[in-house]
Amino acid sequence: MIENRPVIALDFSGMTEVKTFLEQFDKDERLYVKVGMELFYAAGPDVVKYIKSLGHDVFLDLKLHDIPNTVKSAMKVIRHLGVDLTNVHAAGGVEMMSEALDGLAGSTKLIAVTQLTSTSEQQMRDFQNIQTSLTESVVHYAQKTQEAGLAGVVCSAQEVELIKSATSSDFICLTPGIRPAGAAVGDQKRVMTPSRARQIGSDFIVVGRPITQAENPVTAYHLIKNEWEGK
Ligand SMILES: O=c1ccn([C@@H]2O[C@H](COP(=O)(O)O)[C@@H](O)[C@H]2O)c(=O)[nH]1
């Protein structure tokens, strides 16, 4: 049985939009939302405090990638925000990831981005000059993430089965790039439907535009949640 609600990507430019969006939901509906770079740079820690004060869970998606000492120091700040989940880029290396974990001091679950779901194999080869397959690269990053002691990775649902068999079944696979059948894909390259993501073993799905840009975001959310829960 699926216990994790779809994570809604609140890709908004400020607090007003967040309030307008969240106010559409029933007061008793406990959501899991993602605060990314745009919103955090615009509204700062206050937006996290506001969302937490409503009783929702928060994934702070800042994808840190810097030298180990800088990332550790940033995580020491993040640990006081009371978020439930945060992340770094696995490409920052094992030392950076384990310093990040140290900075959080057990306060928050930490996962790492493998290859962004907007990246195709061709783009990875041409731009990052990685000459393996994209799945090999993703699995490599997942294994290094586990070696560093993190709880899991951000990946496409397309890679979940391979990652779980190369790591362990309890290693979290959080999967953006989720699109209901027929929805606009936009800049995403490695996509999957909510129901297929569930069948394949994703632990969390992240959904932004198919909910936030829907005519009725609450209805769109519940349709996606039902599909994800196999209802
Ligand atoms: O590999 C990644 C990592 C993060 N994301 C984030 O998820 C959402 C997806 O939004 P959609 O509108 O559903 O495409 C967005 O905030 C990304 O920053 C990702 O897509 N892929």
Side-chain angles (χ1 to χ4, degrees), residues 82-98:
V83 296
D84 302 276
L85 184 66
T86 193
N87 63 358
V88 292
H89 263 289
V94 169
E95 186 186 343
M96 186 207 76
M97 289 193 273
S98 69

Side-chain angles (χ1 to χ4, degrees), residues 9 11 34 61 63 116-117 154 176 179 188 206-210:
D11 290 326
K34 181 176 92 67
D61 177 26
K63 302 184 184 71
L116 292 168
T117 53
V154 181
R179 291 291 182 268
Q188 297 286 3
V206 176
V207 190
R209 288 162 287 185

Side-chain angles (χ1 to χ4, degrees), residues 9-11 34 36-37 59 61 63 87 89 113-119 154-156 174-179 184-188 190 206-213:
L10 298 183
D11 290 326
K34 181 176 92 67
M37 292 177 215
F59 165 32
D61 177 26
K63 302 184 184 71
N87 63 358
H89 263 289
V113 177
T114 54
Q115 290 284 353
L116 292 168
T117 53
S118 56
T119 303
V154 181
C155 60
S156 161
L174 175 141
T175 62
I178 297 296
R179 291 291 182 268
V185 167
D187 51 356
Q188 297 286 3
R190 304 191 330 275
V206 176
V207 190
R209 288 162 287 185
I211 296 173
T212 55
Q213 293 183 8

